[in-house]
Amino acid sequence: MILVFGGTTEGRLCIEVLEEAGKAFYYATKGALQQVTFKNGIPLTGAMDVPRIVEFCTSHGILLIIDAAHPFAENLHSNIEQASLKLKIPVVRIQRNFDLNVDGIFCDDYNDATRKLKSAGVKKLLALTGVNTIAKLKDFWTEHETYFRILDRDESNRIVTDHHFPQDHILYFDFENPDDESIMHTIHPDAVITKESGSSGYFEEKAKMCQRYHTPLYIIRRPRTPKSFVSVEGKVGLRKAIENLCPTFFPLRSGYTTGSCATAATKAALVALLTDDILQEVSITLPQGEQVILPISKVELHEQYAEATVIKDSGDDPDITNGISIVSRVEVNNDSDDIVIDGGEGVGRVTLPGLGIEVGGPAINTTPRSMIRQAVRECCECGVHVTISVPQGYEIGKKTFNPRLGIVDGISIIGTSGVVKPYSSEAFIASITRQVSVAQATLCDMIVINSGGKSENFLKAIFPDKPAQIFVQYGNFIGETLREVNNSTFKQVYMGIMIGKAVKLAEGNLDTHSKKVVMNKNFLCSVAHEVNALDDLRSIIENITLARELLDKVPSRHAHNFFTAILRHCYETCKPCIPHSDLQILLIEESGKVNYKYPILHHA
């Protein structure tokens, strides 16, 4: 069992990750104010001191504690630390994203802040630190005009009364219509004080507001994270930590893409070259912004260059590249600021257009290139030449679809998310069942199904007010997902799909895995014939390498009819699986645009 201390945005994130396992877990909050939706979570309410945590963990067989509480819940963090050390239970701490580049006056604690405010001659202060800090700033507000912005709750108003703070200096925060700008305009404070609360606490927005008003910002530093805690930033890091510390919780392990491995190897090699440090692990930034840590297998430092090796770990995904070595050789050029990324032994070369990579260039996709460039710039501003090689790549490449795509002599360095999700059929289908069940528990009458993380992010922007649990990833198992949806009560089903899967689905393939079905150009020609465009589109279809080229190459005069016809075929394949629900299919482009839908629903 896992015990989560939540009540925050990070707590909601934790729920999303844990629900993927389909197993019970405990979710503890001090009060009952946070509204969350569970399928497998067991809620606990009330403050927990050290003896209570120890007793609960002992009696309920807790193997792992996750601290997703507010960064300034210092007493709780301390209680968790003491209890975990006594029980020898590991703790994972979900950290917020913090912007350390904000201009402000940092304070170690509230006593330090009071000294600095008084020393600076601040006469009027706006406190955005919350109602519980009224007592901590009492030495300041008893002598100087101070306004506190708080939530209008009974317990908050009791604190105001108990500390005899002047009611006319209380400003209530409206979640529905937050408006700190009008407060600044009305009271014209000499300074603002806030906590280093991270993105979830709107820290950056407060800092920018103070910049606009040229008002000094005093910042209470966030408390330290106990050294015994394992710190992670987001969903990927949390899942990996749970897999490592509580291996039986998830049915399958996740992994990292060749792109992530190449990025980690590049950073390790560059650090060695610049500092002589031989790292055993490095942190890299995934495309969605989360930082994760990858182990380094080997680093070799030479006079003019350094090489580092990462062993590809695909988790429990049956990936042909699992266990191979991804090597990065790095050379520094101080006479330039260019970052050159090349492919060495075992990295394929592109021989056909349409892959988004120059013909003749190395088969290193756009996202890994961006990740590698970001990793380089985190280390230095000079010119760097990066060569990625895969010693086993030449032989492995022959066993992939690369030759059919015009990629020769090796594998591709790929990955749009940086993460490999395990795709064992039974486990993935089981995860779909759990996701649909969790979505049902929200009591929302609609569900949004999509192929993966990238398309899901685009769809969340289209449906920004919907709960995160209604977004369900089908991977390649479209048919299995629709059958699960049919067993539910959803009235509306939205399917996001990219063109590569769409052309396979349109032909009637409810399982779109590349090992089972590939793009059928004859079928695409038949669709072109349906819309009276075959004469214009035949040569385009015959000369494409990947389906996504269609979006750029089909002339605009035919685009709407052609792509709508593909979606109509997708609809005809899928609708019999969900006869009692409305279905709309949205074609998502690489940029996130949705220019084609079928059908047009009256309520959409």
Side-chain angles (χ1 to χ4, degrees), residues 212-369:
R212 287 194 295 274
Y213 282 84
H214 304 288
T215 303
L217 177 65
Y218 288 75
I219 303 163
I220 305 296
R221 294 187 191 275
R222 66 186 186 274
R224 68 168 183 86
T225 297
K227 292 181 179 179
S228 61
F229 289 12
V230 176
S231 294
V232 299
E233 278 194 5
K235 290 183 180 180
V236 176
L238 177 59
R239 172 152 182 161
K240 291 299 294 184
I242 295 171
E243 289 171 357
N244 292 334
L245 298 171
C246 196
T248 60
F249 190 75
F250 289 103
L252 293 176
R253 291 173 54 251
S254 58
Y256 291 109
T257 62
T258 50
S260 290
C261 295
T263 302
T266 299
K267 187 170 182 179
L270 187 54
V271 168
L273 194 59
L274 296 174
T275 68
D276 292 337
D277 288 341
I278 305 299
L279 302 179
Q280 294 183 332
E281 60 183 24
V282 298
S283 66
I284 64 168
T285 304
L286 297 176
Q288 69 269 34
E290 180 181 347
Q291 286 200 330
V292 295
I293 295 175
L294 273 69
I296 304 300
S297 172
K298 182 173 64 174
V299 178
E300 295 181 3
L301 181 59
H302 302 271
E303 186 174 346
Q304 299 297 326
Y305 69 92
E307 285 188 345
T309 301
V310 171
I311 304 300
K312 170 80 155 52
D313 180 5
S314 302
D316 289 326
D317 186 62
D319 186 342
I320 195 172
T321 64
N322 187 46
I324 66 173
S325 296
I326 309 291
V327 183
S328 179
R329 171 174 169 151
V330 173
E331 302 167 79
V332 170
N333 180 4
N334 290 312
D335 297 327
S336 169
D337 59 2
D338 292 338
I339 299 174
V340 178
I341 301 173
D342 204 353
E345 176 191 4
V347 173
R349 292 278 165 178
V350 177
T351 64
L352 295 175
L355 295 175
I357 305 171
E358 68 278 8
V359 174
I364 303 174
N365 286 10
T366 302
T367 300
R369 288 174 188 249

Side-chain angles (χ1 to χ4, degrees), residues 95-167:
Q95 297 282 20
R96 291 186 175 181
N97 290 321
F98 293 96
D99 187 349
L100 299 179
N101 296 318
V102 168
D103 289 332
I105 302 160
F106 282 87
C107 309
D108 294 330
D109 53 32
Y110 291 92
N111 291 331
D112 185 33
T114 297
R115 287 193 297 270
K116 288 177 178 176
L117 288 166
K118 289 182 177 181
S119 176
V122 173
K123 301 298 182 185
K124 186 187 292 185
L125 176 69
L126 172 59
L128 304 178
T129 48
V131 71
N132 288 316
T133 64
I134 287 178
K136 296 178 180 180
L137 285 169
K138 191 168 186 175
D139 284 348
F140 184 84
W141 62 258
T142 52
E143 300 176 7
H144 304 87
E145 186 177 6
T146 303
Y147 293 83
F148 274 87
R149 190 204 64 184
I150 68 172
L151 294 172
D152 190 4
R153 295 172 176 166
D154 290 343
E155 60 187 83
S156 298
N157 289 318
R158 278 195 297 271
I159 292 172
V160 172
T161 301
D162 290 346
H163 287 91
H164 306 290
F165 186 84
Q167 184 65 44

Side-chain angles (χ1 to χ4, degrees), residues 397-465:
K398 297 176 184 178
K399 302 174 185 178
T400 69
F401 278 102
N402 273 3
R404 187 178 299 184
L405 300 175
I407 298 173
V408 300
D409 298 336
I411 67 166
S412 302
I413 304 299
I414 60 173
T416 55
S417 68
V419 181
V420 176
K421 287 196 171 182
Y423 272 80
S424 158
S425 297
E426 296 82 2
F428 196 84
I429 292 169
S431 76
I432 291 170
T433 302
R434 290 191 292 271
Q435 288 181 71
V436 174
S437 180
V438 171
Q440 179 92 27
T442 67
L443 302 181
C444 188
D445 64 357
M446 64 174 277
I447 189 170
V448 185
I449 63 175
N450 55 90
S451 59
K454 184 176 182 180
S455 58
E456 182 172 295
N457 288 335
F458 294 144
L459 290 166
K460 283 181 176 177
I462 296 174
F463 302 102
D465 300 326

Side-chain angles (χ1 to χ4, degrees), residues 162-201:
D162 290 346
H163 287 91
H164 306 290
F165 186 84
Q167 184 65 44
D168 60 350
H169 280 49
I170 290 294
L171 307 166
Y172 288 113
F173 178 66
D174 183 358
F175 265 125
E176 300 297 326
N177 186 29
D179 190 9
D180 288 341
E181 296 275 352
S182 64
I183 295 175
M184 294 287 288
H185 185 72
T186 301
I187 69 173
H188 300 290
D190 297 330
V192 173
I193 187 169
T194 189
K195 295 181 288 191
E196 191 186 8
S197 55
S199 56
S200 299

Side-chain angles (χ1 to χ4, degrees), residues 68-115:
H70 194 280
F72 281 83
E74 296 177 69
N75 287 338
L76 178 57
H77 301 318
S78 176
N79 291 343
I80 293 171
E81 180 184 23
Q82 293 178 60
S84 66
L85 292 173
K86 182 175 292 188
L87 294 167
K88 296 182 171 56
I89 293 176
V91 179
V92 176
R93 169 68 184 153
I94 305 180
Q95 297 282 20
R96 291 186 175 181
N97 290 321
F98 293 96
D99 187 349
L100 299 179
N101 296 318
V102 168
D103 289 332
I105 302 160
F106 282 87
C107 309
D108 294 330
D109 53 32
Y110 291 92
N111 291 331
D112 185 33
T114 297
R115 287 193 297 270

